[in-house]
DNA sequence: CTGCATCCCATGTGATACTG
DNA sequence: CAGTATCACATGGGATGCAG
């Protein structure tokens, strides 16, 4: 439809919409937050810190965030398998903006 | 379920999750942006500036944002009806954080 | 002009089981 | 340990028509 077309254009053109899409979703912020606090985490360490997430959602969202350039995945060819995740520089650059948003949210909650 | 419980707790406790919920959704940012640029707009003016939105979505989202404290609705008891919308101070306070996010998004798009 | 009600569909998310 | 596959469901969003 025409509507979808204009929406797609928005997503491609508007930096804010782009940013929102990158951090939207139930699990993206918890993942960013966990990796921000811990620098590097293995798959199962991450899973244990994010309460309620399933393997399906975790692996899916991690893959999307890697493609988006937010996190980096480092795989070691060992038995048993070891995979470590951490934030890219861009992912780290995002945090101050999120903290600003959080301050605003805190203010709204206390109103 | 237990999961929903913990999710609800997150929404209530985490200021960032709270803020994200307030600005998430297909039409919230376009509305904020339109009111930021124009200060005050009537219902139909707003609708004309937000390409593709239906009456149903516009009125629904406006009501939610009013309850959230982002916008203020001013109704004039005239015939034909006139209703004007504008950002609250809190709504305006949100904009700098959004602009920071937008700068980050622009950087990511150019990478 | 400024909305609301009904019905419908797409997408995101989840439960469960399985694999290299 | 680090995932994938399948099936199912809840939620957000939309088309259409009606209303004060």
């Amino acid at each position: 439809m025409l509507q979808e077309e204009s929406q797609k254009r928005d997503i491609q053109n508007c930096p804010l919409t782009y940013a929102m899409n990158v951090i939207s979703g139930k699990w993206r912020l918890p993942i960013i937050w966990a990796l921000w606090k811990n620098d590097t985490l293995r798959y199962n360490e991450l899973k244990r810190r994010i309460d309620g997430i399933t393997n399906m959602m975790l692996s899916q969202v991690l893959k999307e965030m890697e493609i988006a350039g937010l996190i980096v995945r480092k795989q070691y060819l060992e038995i048993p398998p070891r995979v470590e995740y951490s934030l890219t520089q861009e992912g780290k650059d995002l945090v101050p903006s999120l903290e600003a948003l959080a301050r605003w949210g805190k203010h709204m909650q206390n109103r």
Side-chain angles (χ1 to χ4, degrees), chain A:
Chain A
M1 302 177 191
L2 284 176
Q3 211 162 328
E4 293 180 25
E5 296 300 328
S6 70
Q7 199 58 21
K8 281 181 185 172
R9 251 180 286 126
D10 272 1
I11 290 173
Q12 289 174 348
N13 293 338
C14 175
L16 182 50
T17 302
Y18 177 88
M20 284 298 296
N21 282 1
V22 161
I23 62 178
S24 290
K26 187 170 179 179
W27 304 109
R28 291 205 164 96
L29 287 178
I31 290 174
I32 292 172
W33 189 240
L35 291 177
W36 174 250
K37 285 188 299 188
N38 296 280
D39 196 60
T40 297
L41 288 174
R42 298 178 61 168
Y43 180 89
N44 269 339
E45 290 175 329
L46 206 41
K47 187 181 177 194
R48 261 178 260 117
R49 277 160 214 274
I50 301 178
D51 191 49
I53 196 170
T54 61
N55 281 327
M56 162 124 187
M57 291 311 297
L58 182 55
S59 59
Q60 174 183 315
V61 173
L62 283 173
K63 192 180 296 181
E64 292 166 356
M65 293 173 73
E66 189 193 1
I67 292 173
L70 281 179
I71 64 180
V72 53
R73 186 190 117 114
K74 190 165 182 183
Q75 176 168 9
Y76 299 86
L77 296 178
E78 305 172 353
I79 303 294
R82 179 156 68 106
V83 182
E84 289 181 347
Y85 292 92
S86 52
L87 292 177
T88 60
Q89 185 55 50
E90 285 81 9
K92 293 174 186 172
D93 291 343
L94 176 60
V95 173
S97 297
L98 297 180
E99 289 175 333
L101 257 185
R103 281 192 296 277
W104 180 86
K106 192 178 174 73
H107 171 250
M108 291 303 277
Q109 288 177 310
N110 294 338
R111 111 201 117 99

